Amino acid sequence: MTAAAIAPRRTRKSPEARRAQICAAAARMVLEEGISAITMERLARETGISKALVYNYFATRDQLLAALLKREQTELRERGIGAALRAETFPELIRQTTRVYLEQVEHRGALIAALLSDPSVGRLMEEESREDRERTRRFFVKQVARTYELPEGIAAASVDLLWAVTDAAGRALSQHELSIDEAEELCVQLITGGLDRLAKTSRRRLKGSPKGG
């Protein structure tokens, strides 16, 4: 039997696996060398495939980077949905979804920040990112309004303001000013405590308002 006959066959990767391979190489390069290191030629060398094949999956460098950012955002959204489905109370919802966000910041925050810093990538993902954020916002507004019996306008304003808390906690985590456990607890206490206080104030005002005209 010849050596050629016993040599293992090279398996052809599926399109999904090939795209994932290219994205993984791009992510590694961004984290190690910065977004300016990304070129289609370099990616071809890093993945061991032809430049033409890289272009077959991603027509431009910007499309590749946008796909990488979309992958990160999709993973965050799916993990967040899973956390929301597991929550049985509103405080659990806040704790679990906050944890998912903070874990993403801790492990993937540098990559996401680098991708978002590129104006071309931001423009390509702007509409989709806005739609994702608005869907998430509507979900939390509905939960706040129902849990705390608040008017929808007040609930919406509350969600917008309280999101700033998680954003700030994420920044503090990325700058090593807080541990992930400290950041999580800070968010949960400020969000649930603030909404509890707001709901009590709202109920007192309704009780004190004159009936009829």
Side-chain angles (χ1 to χ4, degrees), residues 3 17 33 40 46 57 61 77 108-109 112 130 151 166 180:
E33 303 177 52
M40 303 306 249
E46 291 287 332
Y57 287 101
R61 171 183 177 275
R77 181 176 65 250
R108 310 294 287 179
I112 294 171
R130 184 170 58 247
T166 54
I180 190 169

Side-chain angles (χ1 to χ4, degrees), residues 93-135:
L93 172 66
I94 296 302
R95 184 174 295 280
Q96 293 187 28
T97 55
T98 297
R99 185 74 181 200
V100 166
Y101 168 72
L102 293 173
E103 287 176 349
Q104 190 84 351
V105 169
E106 185 173 53
H107 299 297
R108 310 294 287 179
L111 173 61
I112 294 171
L115 293 169
L116 287 173
S117 70
D118 188 295
S120 298
V121 176
R123 283 193 297 270
L124 285 172
M125 291 295 296
E126 183 178 4
E127 183 175 352
E128 187 168 343
S129 297
R130 184 170 58 247
E131 290 174 355
D132 279 349
R133 188 172 179 87
E134 185 55 32
R135 279 194 295 269

Side-chain angles (χ1 to χ4, degrees), residues 20-49:
Q21 178 190 14
I22 296 169
C23 284
R28 185 174 63 252
M29 289 168 61
V30 170
L31 288 172
E32 292 176 356
E33 303 177 52
I35 201 167
S36 61
I38 300 293
T39 66
M40 303 306 249
E41 293 82 358
R42 176 80 182 278
L43 279 168
R45 291 198 304 271
E46 291 287 332
T47 54
I49 61 180

Side-chain angles (χ1 to χ4, degrees), residues 2-82:
T2 65
I6 63 174
R9 291 184 177 181
R10 295 181 64 183
T11 57
R12 184 183 296 273
K13 292 182 181 291
S14 68
E16 294 77 13
R18 187 66 77 186
R19 286 176 63 90
Q21 178 190 14
I22 296 169
C23 284
R28 185 174 63 252
M29 289 168 61
V30 170
L31 288 172
E32 292 176 356
E33 303 177 52
I35 201 167
S36 61
I38 300 293
T39 66
M40 303 306 249
E41 293 82 358
R42 176 80 182 278
L43 279 168
R45 291 198 304 271
E46 291 287 332
T47 54
I49 61 180
S50 69
K51 185 172 72 172
L53 189 55
V54 175
Y55 276 110
N56 186 53
Y57 287 101
F58 303 100
T60 67
R61 171 183 177 275
D62 289 345
Q63 285 185 13
L64 164 63
L65 295 174
L68 183 55
L69 178 58
K70 182 177 180 179
R71 184 187 73 169
E72 297 298 320
Q73 292 177 332
T74 298
E75 179 184 345
L76 177 60
R77 181 176 65 250
E78 290 178 351
R79 291 182 63 216
I81 290 172

